[in-house]
Amino acid sequence: MEFVYALSGLFAGLFLGAVAVVTALTYTPYGASLFDTAITALTGVTLQLGNLLFISALTALAFEGLAMSGIRYPIVVPAAFAYVLTHVTVYYSCIRITDLQSEPLDPDVIIKHNPFRALVLGVPGSLLLIRVRPPARRN
């Protein structure tokens, strides 16, 4: 029962990350319209909240596992660890999702024969692993 909040945060973070990735893959904002701004805000907020929830829950579970095995740390250590990891992940995920959003549903980014990859991209931190093709030069 004591892990209910951590597990709920873990799954909520995964869900929000998946919402952000699916939104970025399916819609490219083209201007400064109210709709484009709302979609961009939805993508950013869900990505950042998803990363925050997922990494906080994962940190809580990891340090609780260490405590159960007899290794104890002051509360500052897991808090600092989660803070740094969340900020690094959010920073790089936001950069990657912006690149990903510039070419939605590109077969080089999302493999057509493996739709499961789109779900995997929703896992916080997985956006760090994808390679996004540089934009083509236009003459």
Side-chain angles (χ1 to χ4, degrees), residues 38-83:
I39 293 296
T40 303
L42 173 74
T43 303
V45 167
T46 54
L47 180 68
Q48 291 181 15
L49 283 176
N51 282 331
L52 174 69
L53 283 172
F54 182 81
I55 291 172
S56 298
L58 199 60
T59 301
L61 290 172
F63 279 92
E64 182 62 30
L66 288 173
M68 290 168 78
S69 66
I71 303 169
R72 300 200 183 272
Y73 293 98
I75 191 70
V76 173
V77 174
F81 177 78
Y83 178 82

Side-chain angles (χ1 to χ4, degrees), residues 22-47:
V22 168
T23 304
L25 289 173
T26 56
Y27 186 76
T28 299
Y30 293 106
S33 71
L34 187 60
F35 185 73
D36 287 345
T37 303
I39 293 296
T40 303
L42 173 74
T43 303
V45 167
T46 54
L47 180 68

